[in-house]
Amino acid sequence: MENNLIDSLCRSDRFWLLDGAMGTQLQKRGLPLGSQPEIWNIAHPDIVASVHRDYVEAGANILYANTFGANRKKLASSGYSVEDVIHAAIQNAHAAAGTNVLVALDIGPIGELLEPTGTLSFEEACDIFSEEMRAGIEAGADLIVLETMTDLYEVKAGILAAKETCESMGKKLPLLVSMTFEQNGRTFTGCCVPSMAAVIESLGADAIGFNCSLGPVEILPLAQQLRQYTSLPIFIKPNAGLPDPQTNLYAITPEEFAEQMQAYLDLGITMFGGCCGTDPMFIRALRRMLDAHTPCKPVLPEHRLSCVCTPTEFVPIDRVRIIGERINPTGKKRLKQAIAERDFDYILRQGISQVQAGAAILDVNMGIPDIDEAEMLPLVIKKLQSVLDTPVQIDSSNTKAVENALRICNGKPIVNSVNGEEKSMAAVLPLVKKYGAAVVALTLDEAGIPLLAEQRFAIAQRIVERAQQYGIPKEDIFVDCLTLTASVQQKEVVETLKAVRMVKEKLGVKTVLGVSNISFGLPNRELLNHSFLLMALEAGLDLPIINPNVPSMLDAVRAYEVLYNQDKNAARYIENFNRPEEIARISAKPAPVSAPQSVSENPSHTDELTDAIRKGLGESVRQAVREQLQENEPEEIINHKLIPALDLVGQDFEQGKIFLPQMIQSAQAAQAGFEEIKNFLAAHPNAAASEFSLSQKGIVLATVHGDVHDIGKNIVKVILENYGFPVLDLGRDVPAEKVVEAVKQHHIRLVGLSALMTTTLKSMEETIAALRAEKLDCKIMVGGAVLTEEYAMKIGADFYAKDAKASADIAKHVFEK
């Protein structure tokens, strides 16, 4: 039955109509602002069922149960368990659905940021989702929907929880996953559409889509882009357009909504519904529109794209992509020491320098004696993910370490590696399939590395066939024909190149080689590596594992791409060699040496601290501040080093060079510097800067009454605190009088108010009015997804904060005045 349902949902010859908004419908029926809609499943089941019934009568044939926020975090103070609420919700939906309408367990975001951006661990997120899913399956849900997701890491936790929970309960429910994007084509946390497609499809969801934030017109380009990157069925559940800037109410009519949704039919999309601002009239209009049309067969991508990714960085293997080899302790004494001493900043700098030099992927190997590799490998990958948005290659022969790293890896990685031994394939390939990774296939087996190309090809063919049996597509298999050392096996060098060409031409898969292995034991290794790299590229090498910090290796790749017409019009080549550092390298003109300067004027000294903050290296920041405190006043370091560095990070964020996770990591690194200064002041009460008081810059933050969404406010809090502003966080669903009381009691000069729902904007206006009525000497900034600057000014705010960085700029402006 369940498999038939999955097949039915994935068919393109019929339409599926999803329902519309739930919360606003309950509010129209008496749900107070700030109350949890999910509690009404128990308190007022008849009312919840009536909303479902209205959607069924409007033509919906999939209902989302009233379980969006029914997780243990959000229900903690309700007095009800997750099981109580979800069982009641599924029962209410089924009561309205009858026999021909499906009921979905609807799961929204947990409401907290996952590590390393936030404090919620990946495993706890999985457990929270699993608890919801177990309850929904027990109650008889027909399918599971993850919706309104902005964090691809949280999506991964949800998909894994769904798969593992269904498996443990002997069920196979369809899983639909939708994310919510902003008009810049990114989610709140910076996830892009191609990465969304790669991860969700690779992890095994049954359908993918968009909901919330935007209307049909704004989501259409995103859907068109998504269609290019996935073969999964796509579903669309937009808002009722964008809020009107004057009233902040959704402006389009049901008929306009349905008319705008017609454009999706050409993409072969067959699942439609509505989100914020929609009601049964919108669903009825959609039903009329769909009934007047016949489903189109979707035009799917011609072939699946070989790729790896992080949420913010999508790397198609459509040309030569360099895998950086420097985070592998083989032959690297200093790296071995760093691993043994847990000197993470050194390891992170190895990653950062390789990416800056041109690596598209980072190989990560922690295999040294006396190290718990199963603990160390995922830990280092987590830390790399906190400072870089570069995909990783998980490199280990320890299966447990590979699994642990795969589980916490954010995005789609490569596993290095599997070989032709039955034991290896049985251990590694199921993990690759479960976690949606790509895999390196080594052309060796129980007998070792064959000498002849034909023998290596035979092993490659065997691994490719076995991987496909596990459901791993050919595009995710990268064959390593193994570079042998020329000093020992000179005649086998050409066999490696011959094998690469055979694999590429006959199996049609991507190829990878550890290039520098060729030169072990010989002088002038760079010459051999460079020459062999060019030969391998000509033979069909896609993924060279090299040290990108060696300019001649990068130059070889760039020249190859031009000469083999892979770099059209030599655009990348020209762009690279027009960079000042490359011009200086080619001309061999050393930079002029300037005379020593004071710390406040010395660019090199400033750059050391600034660089560490921009890269998110907390321990390096702490050490740099500690050193500078020996010669400089704390206030000078704060005003001339820490704050300007954070301003540069903010500029990178505003220009789209970095995204929210990287900005938060940099802010947290700067906080290490502030903490070092606080410690210094505590130990030196007579220091000149002891009069510098952070307490003079306190800020009150609150999510307004009736609104229970606080993730945006929490991010603003992190950024403000790491700029050195103490924050009094009043939480969510905060009455106006509580805000007024806090401002009075603590003599606050700046208040930040947040709202995510159009229905709670009135509460924001009332809070501002209450503060003005008391004639308090404070400025007010407001923010939230439903706000515009025009509306913020209309309701009496002093400032509109479009994002967390803007809130810090506002705070600096207020307190500098």
Side-chain angles (χ1 to χ4, degrees), residues 671-690:
Q671 182 63 18
F674 282 109
E675 290 172 358
E676 198 62 35
I677 288 173
K678 289 179 184 177
N679 294 337
F680 178 86
L681 292 175
H684 302 81
N686 296 322
S690 61

Side-chain angles (χ1 to χ4, degrees), residues 26 29-32 39-50 92:
L26 292 179
R29 291 162 167 82
L31 176 72
I39 302 305
W40 271 36
N41 290 307
I42 297 172
H44 301 285
D46 52 335
I47 296 179
V48 174
S50 73
N92 294 336

